[in-house]
Amino acid sequence: MLELIRSLAIPNTTKIVLMSLDGLGGLPRPETGKSELETARVPNLTALASEAACGLLRHVAPGITPGSGPGHLGLFGYDPLAYQVGRGVLESLGIEFDLRAGDVAARGNFCTVDSAGLITDRRAGRIKTEASVLLVDRLKTIRLPGVEVLVEPVQEHRFVLVLRGTGLSGRLTETDPQALGKPPLPVKALEPAAVRTAEAVNAFVEQARRLLADAAPANMVLLRGFDALPELPRFPEVYGLRAAAIAAYPMYRGLAKLVGMDVIKTGATFADEITTLREHWQAYDFFFVHYKDTDKAGEDGKFDAKVEALERFDAFIPAVRALGPDVLVVTGDHATPSILAGHGWQPVPVLVWSRYCGADPVTLFAERACAAGTLGVQPAHHLMPLVMANALRLTKFGA
Amino acid sequence: MLELIRSLAIPNTTKIVLMSLDGLGGLPRPETGKSELETARVPNLTALASEAACGLLRHVAPGITPGSGPGHLGLFGYDPLAYQVGRGVLESLGIEFDLRAGDVAARGNFCTVDSAGLITDRRAGRIKTEASVLLVDRLKTIRLPGVEVLVEPVQEHRFVLVLRGTGLSGRLTETDPQALGKPPLPVKALEPAAVRTAEAVNAFVEQARRLLADAAPANMVLLRGFDALPELPRFPEVYGLRAAAIAAYPMYRGLAKLVGMDVIKTGATFADEITTLREHWQAYDFFFVHYKDTDKAGEDGKFDAKVEALERFDAFIPAVRALGPDVLVVTGDHATPSILAGHGWQPVPVLVWSRYCGADPVTLFAERACAAGTLGVQPAHHLMPLVMANALRLTKFGA
């Protein structure tokens, strides 16, 4: 598919904005029978949906709950099953870590464990970044024979562990049992070539346990998403687009960088992101703009907070439309239903607005309404070809 | 897909009930413009549909009419085009026949032919099982050089023929011309390795013709569905489910056994099946419950009888819901529209009820209503991943 698009892409001056609301999709709250999107007052999204073609995106496969990495790769046009990338790699890229060929990266969480070593909070209450920096300083003292250990803070409770050396493999299981009241797990090799790496990681974890035993506000680490740097087709070359990513959170910047987008420096708020979009409007053809608040509220199981996050997002739409994009897409990387308090497998609403989109009868940007849209339910990686077409940037196939 | 699911399956205590109404889908009767499902008074299905996500399942491919084997394999999550199983194998398993590696099995029908040898009834009026047993006794006297011949009665007009020996192949055409007024066909080899098996089968048919010439209520046999025992990924291992099959009819028990489900002994009626379900509720995570009456009525072209079969089924739904399943699925293995008096290619209604299903606006469990459901029209083998997700038995893909 990417090769087909590459062969059909043609130049144009049209501008595309792809707005990804992290964890956009939701589920009805039993008390009201309405989802977060159905509850929120989002007049600008409603108006946009009325003028747009709507549908639902499925990012990986039916019933499969996407992580944020596969979710965004799908939005960028990469089949997430064909292009698998570990979270460690994404997090490393997100902090501009100079990941090199052969490095193995993992995502770390600072967590809390009780006196028996059982996990009491997998995120240590989402401790502040400043606290993480101090804990990372302790981890930086860890030395392993024959392997260079690199540890860097990311944001809140998250950090990156990179092992550098020869003959390392990222084919490892994770230490995070994804549950409270259990101890962190030892990592296991998923291929013979990973046995030595597994030993190194387990030695790192053992040293970390001792170094953090008396630390606060977190006293242990969880490691997951081990992977080495993969090679992906470059987004700007596949689509012939000068592509910019605007995201306050490192992981999404990292993902954009991985596919070759320019990651533009922006501030910590979504208002900052919109300012950045305006300032760089002339320099790019394609803008990926990421909004995190929806996912955060959903992950915390806070229905009302997610509704408010949607309403805050909605208020920025006029500013984006005022820039005059030729194609405006609003969607998400996966569902995060508040009643699940985690990512969900449900397909995610999408709207594609352009002069040529063929607005459908859908007048509400919500899960059930979009199911009746003319875009139907489709794989997320089919979105970009449609976006390119709406931007009049694809020539016809065959004469 | 099965490998992906296997890698993401996680334990939980949730219970799943998959109710398969054989030949569920129908077509409007010209006199009323309503299908069987649209005609039936099924208040419990209607209520369930209102609380569920609805859609249509396509079991094999667009326009393809599924047999019961592929239809059910699709429901169990196996792409029927990738996993092909002959009916003879299924029927053999259904009567607990000890099919061995290398055996070639066929489904037999007792039929009636006229004095010219032309078929007058492909099922000999669905003769009683006791009558079949006597006819099978005649067939058991058949001897072929170098090949062991095993014949066993199944139910009504059906029996199983198994050829046992070395170098046999199931790649054969069928003797059933699927039409009245024609003679049974000789079987042909579909690969060179099957030539000797074809000769053996044709010799068997020739001896059967002579042995049954003066018999009643049937005087000839039809053979189809030749196949050897295939190896399929085991359902309980793929999904991590203790899986039970409850089916009064042998063929459906055989299919469940083929994928590794426990086949629970039950009675001859659907009421017996529901009693069995209740009695084994604690011991299993997943229950496949089969209902045959819809298909029988449809196959016989009896629209009103199919409506009544649907209404009888509906009355059992409260008993199933009372058990407290976490995921309840109602669907079928294929359509059997009464006006076709046979299997049809039409996609089949499906409803998935769970706490997390995201009920859609569909309030009627019928073909046209379900086409507007949020599940859309999807391959049947995509159902199980969705069911697993609704049972919170799949972890997320990627970080």
Side-chain angles (χ1 to χ4, degrees):
Chain A
M1 192 68 181
L2 292 178
E3 282 315 302
L4 177 64
I5 296 300
R6 190 200 294 265
S7 72
L8 298 177
I10 52 171
N12 203 329
T13 58
T14 47
K15 302 258 183 205
I16 301 165
V17 177
L18 170 62
M19 308 192 81
S20 168
L21 285 80
D22 209 291
L24 173 64
L27 280 174
R29 164 186 247 177
E31 295 85 338
T32 63
K34 287 186 176 181
S35 74
E36 297 90 332
L37 272 168
E38 290 165 346
T39 305
R41 261 165 284 167
V42 285
N44 297 305
L45 273 174
T46 304
L48 196 52
S50 306
E51 300 169 38
C54 296
L56 294 171
L57 296 184
R58 202 165 57 196
H59 292 75
V60 181
I64 306 302
T65 295
S68 295
H72 276 100
L73 280 180
L75 293 183
F76 300 158
Y78 301 77
D79 180 347
L81 288 171
Y83 299 98
Q84 302 199 14
V85 184
R87 183 119 180 189
V89 168
L90 298 173
E91 296 267 298
S92 307
L93 293 168
I95 55 167
E96 322 288 334
F97 187 93
D98 178 28
L99 205 61
R100 302 183 193 165
D103 289 354
V104 168
R107 168 176 166 163
N109 269 17
F110 286 110
C111 68
T112 52
V113 293
D114 62 18
S115 56
L118 306 181
I119 298 167
T120 51
D121 187 331
R122 287 175 52 241
R123 299 184 186 90
R126 291 189 187 276
I127 57 174
K128 288 200 187 305
T129 307
E130 305 89 78
S132 276
V133 169
L134 297 176
L135 298 171
V136 163
D137 283 344
R138 295 196 190 200
L139 300 182
K140 282 184 172 174
T141 66
I142 294 175
R143 297 286 175 272
L144 298 176
V147 178
E148 188 176 355
V149 179
L150 303 151
V151 195
E152 291 296 336
V154 177
Q155 196 156 11
E156 296 180 332
H157 55 289
R158 302 204 300 275
F159 67 89
V160 164
L161 167 67
V162 176
L163 300 183
R164 181 166 291 165
T166 52
L168 298 175
S169 162
R171 300 273 299 134
L172 301 173
T173 63
E174 311 189 319
T175 80
D176 186 348
Q178 301 268 352
L180 301 183
K182 295 189 177 176
L185 307 168
V187 305
K188 291 178 196 158
L190 292 169
E191 62 179 18
V195 169
R196 198 170 71 88
T197 317
E199 289 168 359
V201 170
N202 288 326
F204 172 87
V205 170
E206 205 37 55
Q207 292 197 41
R209 184 195 310 275
R210 285 200 300 271
L211 285 167
L212 299 179
D214 64 344
N219 61 354
M220 187 50 185
V221 297
L222 296 173
L223 298 172
R224 51 191 174 121
F226 291 93
D227 201 8
L229 191 67
E231 280 199 35
L232 296 173
R234 291 175 64 79
F235 185 99
E237 288 161 19
V238 169
Y239 299 107
L241 294 170
R242 296 173 301 166
I246 306 177
Y249 272 64
M251 151 128 197
Y252 312 97
R253 294 201 296 267
L255 189 53
K257 187 176 169 192
L258 185 67
V259 299
M261 291 187 202
D262 284 1
V263 176
I264 309 184
K265 192 173 158 51
T266 189
T269 71
F270 194 60
D272 293 334
E273 292 191 20
I274 299 301
T275 301
T276 304
L277 173 68
R278 190 181 303 112
E279 288 170 357
H280 293 78
W281 187 250
Q282 290 310 321
Y284 291 95
D285 308 308
F286 175 93
F287 297 89
F288 157 57
V289 183
H290 181 261
Y291 183 69
K292 179 69 178 172
D293 294 3
T294 31
D295 182 58
K296 268 175 123 170
E299 287 260 10
D300 290 339
K302 296 185 173 163
F303 191 99
D304 293 332
K306 189 168 173 194
V307 169
E308 285 159 24
L310 290 165
E311 293 178 348
R312 283 198 304 278
F313 173 86
D314 186 75
F316 287 99
I317 292 194
V320 175
R321 298 192 74 172
L323 296 170
D326 296 282
V327 185
L328 177 55
V329 180
V330 180
T331 187
D333 58 341
H334 55 77
T336 304
S338 305
I339 66 167
L340 270 175
H343 291 200
W345 59 90
Q346 297 79 7
V348 177
V350 60
L351 68 79
V352 176
W353 176 92
S354 84
R355 191 173 163 193
Y356 309 106
C357 68
D360 58 27
V362 177
T363 57
L364 185 69
F365 189 61
E367 299 81 2
R368 294 182 276 202
C370 285
T374 46
L375 299 186
V377 182
Q378 54 175 307
H381 62 278
H382 290 180
L383 175 65
M384 269 306 295
L386 189 67
V387 167
M388 288 287 289
N390 274 274
L392 305 184
R393 283 174 173 273
L394 291 182
T395 188
K396 72 181 162 196
F397 175 73
Chain B
M1 191 69 182
L2 291 178
E3 281 316 302
L4 176 66
I5 297 299
R6 189 199 296 263
S7 72
L8 298 176
I10 51 173
N12 203 331
T13 57
T14 46
K15 301 259 184 204
I16 301 165
V17 177
L18 170 62
M19 309 194 80
S20 168
L21 286 81
D22 210 292
L24 171 64
L27 280 174
R29 164 186 246 176
E31 296 85 337
T32 63
K34 288 185 176 184
S35 75
E36 299 90 332
L37 271 170
E38 290 165 345
T39 305
R41 260 165 286 169
V42 284
N44 297 305
L45 274 175
T46 304
L48 196 52
S50 305
E51 300 170 41
C54 298
L56 294 171
L57 295 184
R58 203 165 56 196
H59 291 74
V60 182
I64 306 303
T65 295
S68 294
H72 277 98
L73 279 180
L75 293 183
F76 299 158
Y78 302 76
D79 179 348
L81 289 171
Y83 298 98
Q84 302 202 12
V85 183
R87 182 118 182 189
V89 169
L90 297 173
E91 296 268 300
S92 307
L93 292 169
I95 56 168
E96 322 287 333
F97 186 93
D98 178 28
L99 205 59
R100 301 181 195 169
D103 289 355
V104 168
R107 167 177 168 164
N109 268 18
F110 287 112
C111 67
T112 53
V113 293
D114 63 18
S115 57
L118 306 181
I119 299 166
T120 52
D121 188 333
R122 288 175 50 241
R123 300 183 186 90
R126 290 189 185 276
I127 58 174
K128 288 198 188 302
T129 308
E130 305 88 80
S132 276
V133 170
L134 297 175
L135 298 172
V136 163
D137 283 343
R138 296 198 189 197
L139 300 182
K140 283 184 172 175
T141 65
I142 294 175
R143 297 286 174 270
L144 298 176
V147 179
E148 189 176 355
V149 178
L150 303 151
V151 194
E152 292 297 336
V154 178
Q155 198 155 8
E156 297 181 332
H157 55 289
R158 301 203 301 276
F159 67 90
V160 164
L161 166 67
V162 175
L163 300 184
R164 182 166 290 167
T166 51
L168 298 175
S169 163
R171 300 272 299 133
L172 301 172
T173 63
E174 311 188 321
T175 80
D176 186 346
Q178 300 268 352
L180 301 182
K182 296 188 175 177
L185 307 168
V187 305
K188 293 178 194 160
L190 292 168
E191 62 178 19
V195 169
R196 198 170 71 88
T197 318
E199 289 168 1
V201 171
N202 288 327
F204 172 86
V205 171
E206 205 37 54
Q207 291 196 42
R209 184 195 310 274
R210 285 200 301 272
L211 285 166
L212 300 179
D214 64 345
N219 61 354
M220 187 49 185
V221 297
L222 295 173
L223 297 172
R224 52 192 172 119
F226 291 94
D227 202 8
L229 191 66
E231 280 200 35
L232 296 173
R234 290 176 64 79
F235 185 97
E237 288 161 20
V238 169
Y239 299 107
L241 294 170
R242 297 173 299 165
I246 306 177
Y249 273 65
M251 150 129 200
Y252 311 98
R253 294 202 295 269
L255 188 53
K257 188 175 167 191
L258 185 67
V259 299
M261 290 186 203
D262 282 2
V263 175
I264 309 184
K265 193 172 155 58
T266 190
T269 70
F270 194 60
D272 294 332
E273 292 190 21
I274 298 299
T275 301
T276 304
L277 174 67
R278 190 181 303 111
E279 288 170 356
H280 292 77
W281 187 250
Q282 291 309 324
Y284 292 94
D285 308 307
F286 174 94
F287 297 89
F288 156 58
V289 184
H290 183 260
Y291 183 69
K292 179 69 179 172
D293 294 2
T294 31
D295 183 58
K296 267 173 123 168
E299 287 260 10
D300 290 339
K302 295 181 174 167
F303 190 99
D304 293 332
K306 189 168 173 193
V307 168
E308 286 159 23
L310 289 166
E311 293 177 348
R312 284 198 304 279
F313 174 85
D314 186 74
F316 287 99
I317 292 196
V320 176
R321 296 194 74 171
L323 295 170
D326 296 282
V327 185
L328 178 54
V329 181
V330 181
T331 187
D333 59 339
H334 55 77
T336 305
S338 306
I339 65 168
L340 269 175
H343 290 202
W345 60 89
Q346 298 80 4
V348 177
V350 61
L351 68 80
V352 176
W353 175 92
S354 86
R355 188 172 165 200
Y356 307 107
C357 67
D360 59 26
V362 176
T363 57
L364 185 70
F365 190 61
E367 299 81 0
R368 292 182 278 201
C370 285
T374 46
L375 299 185
V377 182
Q378 54 175 307
H381 62 278
H382 289 180
L383 175 65
M384 269 305 296
L386 188 66
V387 167
M388 288 286 288
N390 273 274
L392 304 184
R393 283 175 175 272
L394 291 182
T395 190
K396 72 181 162 196
F397 172 75

